[in-house]
Amino acid sequence: MTDTDPLVSTEWLAAHLGDSKVKVVDASFKMPGVLPLPIEDYLAAHIPGAVFFDVDAVSDHSVDLPHMFPNEEQFARDIGALGISSDDTVVLYDAGGWVAAPRAWWMFLSFGHANVRILDGGLKKWRAEGRSVDVGQVKPAPGRFAAKFDPSCVRSKAQLVANLDSRTEQTIDARAANRFEGSVAEPRPGLRSGHIPGSRNLPYNELFDAATGTMKPLDDLRKAFDKAGLDLRRPVVTTCGSGVSAAVLTLALYRLGVRGSALYDGSWSEWGLQDGPPVATGPA
């Protein structure tokens, strides 16, 4: 992994749009049932040349949990099909509303592709600046992409259950406070309400400027983690509803120089199942 800031500006991307080795990817995501679908938004307007990354498609279809990490072979195949090769610079963005590009970014890093960036402000900032968009589907020639998975980037339910006793790793939850505290029903039916015992809470949207869609300055990010009770010198696992918005916290930690953090892929979609591990409610 590189130590370069993973964010790039709209100015940088506009200057590199014609570069054949820069591949732009729309990684927008919405909660199930929210319309129009992300692919429909993409077809209606995307950054010129961008392909669409479907987090539900690029996932393990053998398990009954939403968008779990696929194996190396599938990730390599799916990314190659998007016209991306191992020597390309990948620039990810999302349409805002639900900050999903960091999930795709973490997947690329986890599968050994360090040359991956996120467009700060995404499509929202791009369009606000009057930059051009295209419609329809981009159909690239297949790329040659190799994937080597680093298991230290993700955590399983078993690892987090073991951590309940050891408390070796801190856990921080990116969901809204009322979901974390268990005072509202989960948006996915059938799940219990609450949080992983001992975890902290930092809603992912608090790390962004709502007006522009850009990520807040590093000092603000550091203060947000500090306020949430996280020690940046100790190991940390991020979690959320289904492993998407948790990666926003992972991105913020990475930008602050934290290395070795991990993402709980199953997140609340797994932990919150009726026969799942212990649940805590109330504030952290």
Side-chain angles (χ1 to χ4, degrees):
M1 294 186 188
T2 77
D3 285 329
T4 311
D5 190 339
L7 299 185
V8 295
S9 66
T10 49
E11 291 81 9
W12 185 94
L13 182 58
H16 289 83
L17 264 191
D19 187 336
S20 63
K21 288 297 181 187
V22 174
K23 301 298 168 67
V24 187
V25 180
D26 184 325
S28 300
F29 167 80
K30 295 179 181 180
M31 288 290 283
V34 178
L35 299 174
L37 296 170
I39 184 65
E40 294 169 341
D41 289 337
Y42 162 82
L43 293 172
H46 58 257
I47 292 174
V51 294
F52 183 73
F53 177 97
D54 184 345
V55 71
D56 288 317
V58 187
S59 69
D60 182 353
H61 300 291
S62 70
V63 293
D64 193 23
L65 289 168
H67 39 255
M68 297 288 281
F69 269 55
N71 60 28
E72 292 175 346
E73 293 76 19
Q74 185 190 342
F75 191 78
R77 184 175 67 245
D78 290 349
I79 298 306
L82 294 178
I84 296 168
S85 296
S86 292
D87 57 349
D88 287 332
T89 297
V90 177
V91 180
L92 303 155
Y93 74 88
D94 51 56
W98 197 281
V99 185
R103 164 71 186 205
W105 163 80
W106 192 243
M107 290 178 76
F108 273 95
L109 284 184
S110 301
F111 283 104
H113 190 81
N115 203 2
V116 57
R117 303 286 182 265
I118 295 171
L119 179 64
D120 196 22
L123 187 64
K124 179 177 182 175
K125 186 169 188 284
W126 183 269
R127 298 194 78 170
E129 293 167 350
R131 302 184 189 275
S132 65
V133 293
D134 284 351
V135 299
Q137 186 133 17
V138 174
K139 295 179 178 172
R144 295 176 62 85
F145 190 87
K148 183 164 177 54
F149 180 59
D150 179 355
S152 71
C153 293
V154 296
R155 292 290 179 272
S156 66
K157 183 177 77 172
Q159 287 172 309
L160 284 185
V161 168
N163 192 62
L164 290 177
D165 291 329
S166 72
R167 296 290 169 98
T168 306
E169 296 183 310
Q170 305 168 97
T171 311
I172 189 160
D173 193 319
R175 292 175 301 155
N178 57 0
R179 288 175 64 191
F180 178 86
E181 294 174 3
S183 59
V184 295
E186 279 293 298
R188 289 179 177 82
L191 296 179
R192 297 172 294 165
S193 296
H195 60 265
I196 298 170
S199 55
R200 300 289 180 172
N201 183 215
L202 176 51
Y204 75 93
N205 57 320
E206 293 183 11
L207 302 179
F208 280 82
D209 179 332
T212 63
T214 56
M215 205 165 204
K216 289 183 177 177
L218 296 181
D219 279 351
D220 291 357
L221 301 182
R222 194 173 284 109
K223 286 174 186 167
F225 282 112
D226 188 49
K227 184 181 171 190
L230 203 73
D231 182 350
L232 296 183
R233 298 164 299 181
R234 289 185 53 226
V236 57
V237 177
T238 61
T239 181
C240 61
S242 67
V244 175
S245 58
V248 176
L249 305 188
T250 304
L251 171 65
L253 290 165
Y254 194 94
R255 294 192 66 219
L256 289 170
V258 174
R259 295 295 178 268
S261 73
L263 180 142
Y264 173 28
D265 197 18
S267 283
W268 201 252
S269 296
E270 181 177 42
W271 194 279
L273 291 170
Q274 294 299 333
D275 58 351
V279 165
T281 55

